[in-house]
Amino acid sequence: MNGVAPSRRISAVSPPAAGAQGEDGPLALTAQQALWLELNQFYIREAWLLDERKLKQWLDLFTDDVLYFMPRRKNVPRRELHRELTPLGDLAILEEDKRYLEMRVARLETGMAWAEDPPSRTRHLIGNLEARRLEDGEVEARTAFLVYRSHLETDHQLLSGCREDRLRKVDGAWKVRRRMIVLDANVLLDKNLSVFL
Amino acid sequence: MAAVREYAVIDPVTGKLDRRIFSDQAVYDDELERIFGRAWLMIGHESLVPAADDFFHTYMGEDPVILTRDGAGRLHALLNMCRHRGNRVCRADDGNAKRFMCSYHGWTYRNDGALDHVPGESEAYYGALDKSALGLVEARVETYAGIVFATWDRNAPDLDAYLGDARWYLDTVFNRRDCGMQALGPMKWLEPVNWKTLVDNCSDNYHVPTSHLSSALVQMRWLGRPRLSHEDQFASPHRHAFVNGHSLTFRDADDGMPRYVHGISKETARLFEEYHRATLPEVERRLGALRARRIQLANHSIFPNGILGLRLALPRGPRKTEFWHFVLVERDMPEELQRAIRIGSQANNGAAGMFEQDDVDNWRQVTEASVSRRARRLPQDLSMGLGHAGPHPDYPGLVSERYISENNQRLFYQRWEEFMNAPDWARIPLAPMTARFDGTATMRG
């Protein structure tokens, strides 16, 4: 947990972590720490769903009004870094709603989505979580990822980047309602981008 | 350049193609000289450099080129190579700059290419450096309806003749409106394939019902897109035409079908139809009734490496191609419609595009078949539709009888041979222009 033991006996405002025990009795977490744990668990769960190809369950982690967005990343001089990411409305690598995500997942099940048949072997490593609760009850969370993809015989790629998510609770479960994926690449070195990030 | 080798790779009688042209380094080196060193190459769009001093970084083959608009509004295509040691003078993808300074020794060029400043010009060079002979190397530039083309060859014909009657078809997508088009993009990615396979694929409609069936099936269900099958394709009113290396497939049907395919769904169809109806009188004035009402360009490529709209297949070695994907929208199109086209196009095409991602492994394995010892001795079979193409009374170019044909593939590789075997531009044949360009649209837009 951030590599630092939480302060003991500080009562959590909300929600308390269930069952955490310290040497001196029950361990209380700050609301911020509890949120961090909850979201960390969310992202670990998501990574396993993706790597185990349980994509229909993965789709349930998104709200019905989700925007799944991956801008392009340009080479610009340091003094013009505000132009590095292409804004929404310019051509993006992905600008998908739930319906498009559903189509992408359904496509794989036809047995004729050749980019992923046989499927890629992926490993999603998600880390560097930072989370912040917003006034409207939503949460802003960003994470860094390394995704390894191995395909067919010897094709392999390492995708590195970050996700900036907006999440909200729907029926007691966190769901992503906006995801911006920023790749650390200008020209993608991959033959295609057929795995989910 | 080595002595000109004679290439005979496609047999026009049998349609057999020597597949060694897809991986041989010596062939590739010849291609850079004889095709990419001579042809008019699509390099960008005027809308990427709308204002004075704007620039956009692009490529002519493997040569890095800065497309600039100088202070007077003139376009330049400048080799991105300092004339001193050869460092690049620009590392940004795009921007606005009056000058480009080499980061090695500080030689500085104006955005029209002129060498403006050399540190130590009088002290270190004793005033002996002829700056006027050391500007950035400039290619010839011409535009067609906002699309920027460049060539290194002074003897190349003008772009109008180079495109020839292909423009009769191209106008139906690129030259419809007075307002012109806006380019969005590009998205860039590397594919482990030979560049010719991408270009060849752009008029290969035969692959669509097999390669892309999964995407067509889900889009039929979720978006209400039409069914896709071999039977429908064989019966379709589409045709292929071929002019000067440019492969064109087109539709001839007077059914008021909207001009843009990407982004049409059951929800957005109304937007497309309304726009089509509202703009038809203008398009008819610009292109004449036949082209405005009936002809619709579909998959196509512009020789050598402009593919499917404003998209580039940039050679990066015999077994590697950098793919650049742009989307073009008409400038005063309603925002809602632009959005539908943008989203539909990027969902289908590009590295992550549902359709496009399924092409790569096929193309890659075709490229690899030209490497392995046993496989490379076996030619590709491009015999489909042999003897079923020719001149047509209504459509310019060499026209196939059907939509599914390998006529354009055979002719593409014949055009490739013409470029590879010609010692200079005077020996590269151009088809005479015979099409009737009704309407007011011109090369300039």
Side-chain angles (χ1 to χ4, degrees):
Chain A
M1 201 185 311
N2 287 335
V4 177
S7 345
R8 293 172 200 291
R9 308 228 179 263
I10 296 176
S11 53
V13 182
S14 76
Q21 288 287 325
E23 284 169 30
D24 308 324
L27 188 67
L29 302 175
T30 64
Q32 177 59 27
Q33 289 167 332
L35 175 68
W36 192 91
L37 276 178
E38 241 181 277
L39 289 173
N40 209 22
Q41 225 162 24
F42 175 88
Y43 285 117
I44 290 170
R45 168 101 185 112
E46 183 190 4
W48 282 110
L49 288 177
L50 285 168
D51 292 340
E52 293 184 337
R53 304 168 182 139
K54 295 174 179 165
L55 295 175
K56 281 195 163 158
Q57 284 169 262
W58 175 73
L59 280 176
D60 286 339
L61 303 181
F62 296 90
T63 62
D64 289 340
D65 61 348
V66 67
L67 170 68
Y68 184 87
F69 175 54
M70 188 188 294
R72 293 178 292 121
R73 197 163 180 182
K74 299 201 284 192
N75 285 300
V76 292
R78 191 172 286 274
R79 64 181 176 277
E80 295 174 32
L81 277 177
H82 60 277
R83 296 198 300 118
E84 187 183 19
L85 293 183
T86 55
L88 198 61
D90 197 343
L91 178 72
I93 300 172
L94 287 163
E95 181 184 340
E96 308 267 284
D97 59 19
K98 186 75 172 271
R99 184 168 62 160
Y100 273 94
L101 290 177
E102 284 170 355
M103 273 192 276
R104 287 176 183 273
V105 170
R107 210 176 78 81
L108 301 175
E109 289 170 4
T110 64
M112 289 176 294
W114 309 117
E116 283 296 319
D117 217 313
S120 294
R121 297 165 288 269
T122 63
R123 201 58 60 196
H124 287 69
L125 298 179
I126 312 293
N128 299 3
L129 169 64
E130 284 189 331
R132 185 165 76 93
R133 200 178 283 275
L134 304 171
E135 306 235 317
D136 58 6
E138 293 194 351
V139 161
E140 203 174 61
R142 60 174 187 163
T143 49
F145 63 79
L146 283 178
V147 174
Y148 178 77
R149 174 194 180 199
S150 165
H151 191 225
L152 299 178
E153 292 168 333
T154 55
D155 289 359
H156 59 97
Q157 294 139 11
L158 189 61
L159 293 155
S160 146
C162 71
R163 293 167 172 170
E164 293 181 26
D165 288 349
R166 219 27 122 72
L167 300 98
R168 78 169 160 244
K169 275 251 165 94
V170 180
D171 300 329
W174 287 112
K175 288 187 192 269
V176 178
R177 77 150 184 85
R178 185 182 195 280
R179 168 166 291 176
M180 179 166 82
I181 300 160
V182 178
L183 287 176
D184 299 325
N186 177 249
V187 178
L188 305 183
L189 302 179
D190 316 327
K191 57 183 183 178
N192 54 19
L193 195 57
S194 56
V195 298
F196 294 101
L197 297 173
Chain B
M1 195 165 121
V4 172
R5 193 194 330 238
E6 274 293 310
Y7 285 97
V9 300
I10 177 80
D11 182 338
V13 178
T14 62
K16 298 289 186 194
L17 175 74
D18 186 337
R19 71 172 72 245
R20 285 172 296 194
I21 60 169
F22 296 113
S23 60
D24 186 288
Q25 183 69 43
V27 173
Y28 177 79
D29 293 342
D30 281 351
E31 286 176 337
L32 291 186
E33 289 289 344
R34 298 177 198 170
I35 296 177
F36 292 93
R38 287 170 172 170
W40 279 103
L41 304 170
M42 202 189 258
I43 62 166
H45 196 271
E46 284 201 67
S47 63
L48 299 166
V49 286
D53 304 321
D54 279 350
F55 70 88
F56 172 75
H57 194 270
T58 181
Y59 286 88
M60 294 170 66
E62 290 208 54
D63 287 318
V65 164
I66 319 167
L67 170 63
T68 66
R69 188 183 290 278
D70 67 22
R74 272 185 48 114
L75 295 176
H76 303 270
L78 306 168
L79 183 65
N80 185 6
M81 190 197 88
C82 180
R83 296 296 301 280
H84 177 214
R85 299 288 185 90
N87 184 28
R88 288 193 181 192
V89 300
C90 172
R91 296 178 180 176
D93 293 347
D94 56 29
N96 184 280
K98 288 189 194 318
R99 287 180 173 71
F100 297 96
M101 187 191 79
C102 173
S103 55
Y104 197 178
H105 301 93
W107 287 29
T108 303
Y109 301 85
R110 292 203 314 247
N111 60 11
D112 62 2
L115 178 56
D116 194 39
H117 174 71
V118 172
E121 190 184 347
S122 52
E123 301 88 337
Y125 285 97
Y126 300 93
L129 191 73
D130 181 4
K131 284 197 302 183
S132 68
L134 290 168
L136 296 176
V137 173
E138 184 163 6
R140 275 174 69 191
V141 171
E142 286 190 39
T143 62
Y144 157 57
I147 304 171
V148 183
F149 289 77
T151 177
W152 296 117
D153 198 324
R154 275 170 221 285
N155 299 315
D158 61 28
L159 182 61
D160 192 11
Y162 182 83
L163 294 176
D165 283 348
R167 183 162 70 82
W168 191 84
Y169 300 98
L170 297 172
D171 278 350
T172 67
V173 161
F174 300 112
N175 214 355
R176 290 167 18 92
R177 303 288 319 282
D178 295 334
C179 61
M181 301 188 93
Q182 172 70 48
L184 306 174
M187 177 195 315
K188 307 172 182 179
W189 73 107
L190 275 174
E191 296 192 349
V193 303
N194 184 273
W195 67 274
K196 294 185 289 298
T197 302
L198 275 74
V199 180
D200 159 338
N201 183 79
C202 285
S203 63
D204 178 334
N205 298 314
Y206 189 40
H207 82 289
V208 178
T210 306
S211 291
H212 303 304
L213 188 58
S214 65
S215 301
L217 281 173
V218 297
Q219 296 201 358
M220 185 172 74
R221 190 171 142 210
W222 266 266
L223 303 180
R225 299 278 301 147
R227 201 170 89 88
L228 184 67
S229 72
H230 279 111
E231 293 67 32
D232 296 337
Q233 296 239 322
F234 296 141
S236 93
H238 292 55
R239 303 281 192 121
H240 287 221
F242 191 89
V243 182
N244 289 346
H246 317 306
S247 297
L248 310 140
T249 72
F250 65 99
R251 189 165 191 278
D252 181 352
D254 189 5
D255 56 4
M257 182 174 153
R259 283 336 204 218
Y260 289 91
V261 182
H262 294 295
I264 301 184
S265 66
K266 51 188 189 254
E267 289 83 7
T268 61
R270 181 188 49 83
L271 290 172
F272 283 84
E273 281 156 17
E274 281 170 6
Y275 182 72
H276 181 66
R277 271 198 303 276
T279 55
L280 193 58
E282 179 189 329
V283 180
E284 204 165 320
R285 165 173 59 74
R286 293 177 56 84
L287 303 181
L290 172 63
R291 289 191 295 162
R293 289 181 171 274
R294 298 187 62 98
I295 304 297
Q296 180 181 9
L297 182 68
N299 291 347
H300 62 278
S301 59
I302 299 180
F303 192 86
N305 67 329
I307 49 179
L308 277 186
L310 182 58
R311 287 147 50 91
L312 306 176
L314 299 168
R316 293 288 181 265
R319 288 152 74 186
K320 206 168 265 188
T321 303
E322 190 170 313
F323 206 145
W324 283 19
H325 168 61
F326 296 85
V327 172
L328 285 170
V329 289
E330 285 166 352
R331 277 175 196 278
D332 69 1
M333 194 173 252
E335 207 175 306
E336 224 184 331
L337 186 56
Q338 287 196 4
R339 181 172 181 276
I341 292 169
R342 185 181 80 237
I343 289 177
S345 175
Q346 73 203 7
N348 289 344
N349 291 332
M354 278 187 255
F355 278 76
E356 206 139 67
Q357 61 177 265
D358 284 340
D359 284 319
V360 189
D361 289 312
N362 293 338
W363 296 344
R364 190 262 183 81
Q365 286 155 191
V366 165
T367 298
E368 292 304 308
S370 67
V371 178
S372 74
R373 185 200 155 275
R374 188 66 193 91
R376 73 183 174 197
R377 287 167 161 74
L378 302 168
Q380 279 196 13
D381 187 297
L382 300 176
S383 63
M384 192 193 302
L386 268 167
H388 293 277
H392 189 280
D394 300 329
Y395 315 127
L398 269 168
V399 181
S400 70
E401 291 167 17
R402 286 177 184 275
Y403 188 46
I404 306 288
S405 163
E406 276 165 348
N407 191 49
N408 279 3
Q409 278 71 22
R410 289 187 293 275
L411 292 170
F412 170 73
Y413 293 108
Q414 282 176 39
R415 185 62 168 171
W416 181 91
E417 279 181 359
E418 287 172 356
F419 267 79
M420 295 291 273
N421 291 333
D424 51 49
W425 247 112
R427 316 287 175 87
I428 299 174
L430 283 176
M433 289 177 71
T434 58
R436 264 188 50 197
F437 287 84
D438 289 343
T440 58
T442 67
M443 280 290 288
R444 300 290 305 152

